[in-house]
């Protein structure tokens, strides 16, 4: 049943994504407009709102189509009021890249999009436990440690371990890449700075890391506290033609998903063991 409350909800959600759709909209048009809005979100918080709205609307799309076909006149009673999301202009969106596995229900579906790519969406190929965006690199989970992903080049040479620390910080270990990841915790919203290894290795013990020398940075978060789905935003500050940064960014929420899955499995095992102990006792 199409209720007035449902129509009001969709009107409010479409407003946030910048969609008027006075005479209706196709699913492809909806997805294209959402992607353009996502790529212009000023920060991760706005991106999470946009994705949550997208997930709701795609889940209810059959009902939305019915609303347009059966109740268009009632839909048209509501005016388009525009978005409350913090969005940037097209030029300011260039150099920002969103990587997320939150657009489907499968955490292995990792997608990349950017205004720099004319708002096209690219998917990481997942095959034989490898996440691969192109033929230059791939990442895969460690077989023995849920807190580690391994980065390889196209010749299967391991370049580094991407590690999730106990404090949920990301760093590189056994690092043969040209880059270092450094957490900046001295700001209100901590982020991961990407530096050329030569800069970091050239610092003395008494030197401070100047984050103005970053090549790029990564912000990331989960869609919500209970979710295995996440989003990362990569911001490039220098013209570096290296897709390795996309793998660093994707590894953030993929590692956390692996950590949560492992933790949940341990909790399930502990619960089963407690039940066995109780059954034996009684």
């Amino acid at each position: 049943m199409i209720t007035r409350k449902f129509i009001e909800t969709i009107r409010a959600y479409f407003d946030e994504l910048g969609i008027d759709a006075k005479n209706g909209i196709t699913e492809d048009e909806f997805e294209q407009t959402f992607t353009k809005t996502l790529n212009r979100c000023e920060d991760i918080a706005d991106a999470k709102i946009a994705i949550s709205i997208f997930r709701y609307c795609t889940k209810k799309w059959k009902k939305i189509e019915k609303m347009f076909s059966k109740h268009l006149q009632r839909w048209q009673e509501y005016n388009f009021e525009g978005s409350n999301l913090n969005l940037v202009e097209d030029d300011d969106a260039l150099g920002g890249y969103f990587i997320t596995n939150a657009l489907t229900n499968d955490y292995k579906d990792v997608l990349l999009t950017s205004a720099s790519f004319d708002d096209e969406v690219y998917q990481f190929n997942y095959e034989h436990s490898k996440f691969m965006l192109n033929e230059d690199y791939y990442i895969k989970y460690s077989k023995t440690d849920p807190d580690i992903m391994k980065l390889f080049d196209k010749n299967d040479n391991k370049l580094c371990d991407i590690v999730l620390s106990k404090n949920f910080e990301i760093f590189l270990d056994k690092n043969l890449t040209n880059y270092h990841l450094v957490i900046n915790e001295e700001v209100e919203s901590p982020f991961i700075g990407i530096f050329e290894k030569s800069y970091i290795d050239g610092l003395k013990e008494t030197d401070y890391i100047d984050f103005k020398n970053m090549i790029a940075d990564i912000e990331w978060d989960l869609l919500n506290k209970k979710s295995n789905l996440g989003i990362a935003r990569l911001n490039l500050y220098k013209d570096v033609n290296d897709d390795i940064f996309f793998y660093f960014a994707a590894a953030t929420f993929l590692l956390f998903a692996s950590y949560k899955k492992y933790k949940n499995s341990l909790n399930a095992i502990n619960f089963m063991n407690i039940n066995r102990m109780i059954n034996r006792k009684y």
Side-chain angles (χ1 to χ4, degrees), residues 7-60:
I7 295 174
E8 290 174 351
T9 297
I10 299 304
R11 179 67 273 168
Y13 282 178
F14 275 26
D15 282 356
E16 292 295 0
L17 296 182
I19 299 173
D20 187 349
K22 183 178 181 180
N23 296 309
I25 191 173
T26 67
E27 189 169 13
D28 284 344
E29 291 170 336
F30 168 76
E31 291 177 354
Q32 290 170 9
T33 307
F34 156 75
T35 303
K36 187 173 181 179
T37 299
L38 173 65
N39 285 326
R40 284 149 188 80
C41 285
E42 189 172 38
D43 54 37
I44 287 287
D46 292 304
K48 286 168 61 178
I49 293 172
I51 289 174
S52 295
I53 290 172
F54 173 82
R55 289 176 61 81
Y56 177 88
C57 290
T58 52
K59 184 178 180 180
K60 302 288 185 179

Side-chain angles (χ1 to χ4, degrees), residues 90-127:
D90 290 355
D91 289 345
D92 294 328
L94 298 176
Y97 303 81
F98 283 100
I99 302 95
T100 182
N101 65 346
L103 301 186
T104 73
N105 290 319
D106 188 343
Y107 78 92
K108 296 188 292 294
D109 289 341
V110 179
L111 304 175
L112 164 68
T113 186
S114 173
S116 297
F117 295 153
D118 296 324
D119 299 310
E120 293 292 329
V121 179
Y122 299 94
Q123 183 166 2
F124 283 69
N125 181 40
Y126 181 76
E127 189 175 356

Side-chain angles (χ1 to χ4, degrees), residues 188-201:
E188 184 176 351
S189 300
F191 60 84
I192 303 169
I194 304 177
F195 295 84
E196 290 181 344
K197 185 186 287 185
S198 58
Y199 168 73
I200 298 296
D201 291 346

Side-chain angles (χ1 to χ4, degrees), residues 173-187:
D173 192 25
K174 302 174 183 177
N175 184 12
L176 299 179
T177 74
N178 294 321
Y179 309 103
H180 268 305
L181 304 188
V182 181
I183 307 294
N184 186 349
E185 297 181 311
E186 298 181 358
V187 291

Side-chain angles (χ1 to χ4, degrees), residues 219-279:
E219 309 162 77
W220 72 280
D221 201 356
L222 299 180
L223 195 60
N224 59 65
K225 292 181 179 179
K226 296 181 179 180
S227 177
N228 288 333
L229 306 176
I231 181 171
R233 174 172 163 162
L234 171 72
N235 302 297
L236 282 179
Y237 302 115
K238 296 184 180 181
D239 188 12
V240 181
N241 186 22
D242 195 340
D243 290 344
I244 197 171
F245 303 138
F246 299 136
Y247 292 88
F248 292 155
T252 56
F253 53 80
L254 288 175
L255 276 170
F256 198 86
S258 172
Y259 162 78
K260 288 191 69 176
K261 183 178 179 181
Y262 174 73
K263 186 177 179 181
N264 289 338
S265 66
L266 282 183
N267 290 339
I269 292 172
N270 290 336
F271 179 77
M272 291 172 60
N273 289 337
I274 290 172
N275 278 341
R276 289 194 188 102
M277 292 175 63
I278 292 174
N279 291 333

